[in-house]
Amino acid sequence: MIVVLKHGADKEKQDQLIDWLKGQGLGIHISEGQFQTVLGLIGDTGRIDMDLIASLGIVDSVKRVTEPFKCCNRKFHPDDMVVNVGDVKVGGGNFCMIAGGGEDIHMFVEAELTKRIGDAGKRLHTARSRNDQVALDIRLYLRREVGEISELLRSLMSLLCRIARANASVIMPGYTHLQRAQPVTFGHHMMAYAMMFERDLGRLADSAKRMNYSPLGCCALAGTTYPTDRFAVAEALNFDGITRNSLDGVSDRDFCAEIAAALSILMMHLSRFSEEIVMWSSWEFKFIELDDSYSTGSSIMPQKKNPDMAELIRGKTGRVYGDLTTILVMLKGIPLAYNKDMQEDKEAIFDAADTVKMCLSVMTPMLETMKVLPDNMKNAAARGFINATDLADYLTKRGVAFRTAYKIVGQLVAKCIAEGEVLETLPLEAYREYSDVFDSDLYGEISLEACVMKRNSAGGTCPDEVIRQAEYIESVLGIK
């Protein structure tokens, strides 16, 4: 695949794109001309989301290779297989090119090894089967992927703690049913997502733990007649042990479903967050402003600044759900042991992992460059009578039954709406028309600052509790 970057493309974005492509296991040859930079991508590019790459705004064109071409002084073919890409160096390349032709990767490796070292290579498949080899490979691959996703998630959680600390006292409306409900702080809102991501981190760790048992040595389905030491091999490959039943060992894909489920829940959390970012960045809310790097304009409306990155994350959530469904449906009708249906797990779980990594790689810097607008949040909180509960509590603490207090405050809210007032500006005389219990101290009780500060129960929205929540997440992450 050839990717042509726009003339004068942002160097930081270009480096981010190259690093991300390398992380997808692709070899990259970079050719820098006077007017354009060309990236030659070598490897399996079928899983790469070109729409997301194009949305960075630095790509001029993308062309998939359909005929032989030369790169790094080598002639590449569309059906060539690239292995051992290694650490690619700009301008020089460090590629190990091997022509394709094997029935599958296992037969290909054996044939290539035999070609390199002679007949000894033909011993490679002794006490092995493609069935247990592929079961091993997918576990090794997903172990690495779960580790990478967990690190990206930890970075996001750490950032949320920093944002929460910086905005622990910034008051905004809290919502239920998308209606203004009670005042909260922006820091409190950020920590709500940090808690969600903590659970995601735990689910990934749990699924990786259950997956970390070696199936190698199960062979086709019944074990082997050779005196192998499965425990020694498992230890050498950093597994916690071996799968205890060979039939189950070659046919188990529970871990694929479990990881896909964990990733689906993670994407659900990212999608909910993205939806709030989309709303908050609109003129209807204007609680935040996204950096231009994570927004796009309209082709005909010059005033538009669209939150495309957040929308893409939200949209890709359904894609990961589809991957989970693919795995579950594929597995539901398979008898023991291995069946060819199982090759369908690769495309689904690879796509789920790749999609989550892409989304996390975008979400963190998008939030890091996001501008918080405290005044707009405070102004929104001042409307909508979100201190009405505190006014009812004021009466209840002075001996009025809560249900009676609830009714009185409802009548006061209706009066304010009819007269264009808010609870803070309604005169004391108007309050006393409804209850003699009201006194001048009520105004201090229903100020937004007081409403927030009084909610100091564990996990509450007061600034001190927000800091405690950030400290908890930081302790989970090992941050001192």
Side-chain angles (χ1 to χ4, degrees), residues 172-188:
M172 66 178 291
Y175 295 82
T176 62
H177 309 279
L178 204 54
Q179 304 292 316
R180 292 171 191 167
Q182 291 181 334
V184 297
T185 64
F186 189 63
H188 192 220

Side-chain angles (χ1 to χ4, degrees), residues 126-137:
T126 306
R128 292 183 182 181
S129 165
R130 288 181 291 193
N131 296 356
D132 64 345
Q133 284 184 285
V134 75
L136 171 74
D137 293 345

Side-chain angles (χ1 to χ4, degrees), residues 132 136 139 143 209-219 223-224 228-250 252:
D132 64 345
L136 171 74
R139 289 170 191 257
R143 189 169 68 184
K209 183 178 180 180
R210 274 184 288 277
M211 176 180 67
N212 202 38
Y213 291 87
S214 171
L216 200 60
C218 292
C219 293
T224 180
T228 58
D229 187 343
R230 291 187 61 202
F231 292 95
V233 174
E235 183 178 357
L237 293 174
N238 295 319
F239 284 102
D240 294 327
I242 65 168
T243 54
R244 294 288 180 167
N245 180 285
S246 59
L247 283 168
D248 180 55
V250 297
D252 171 32

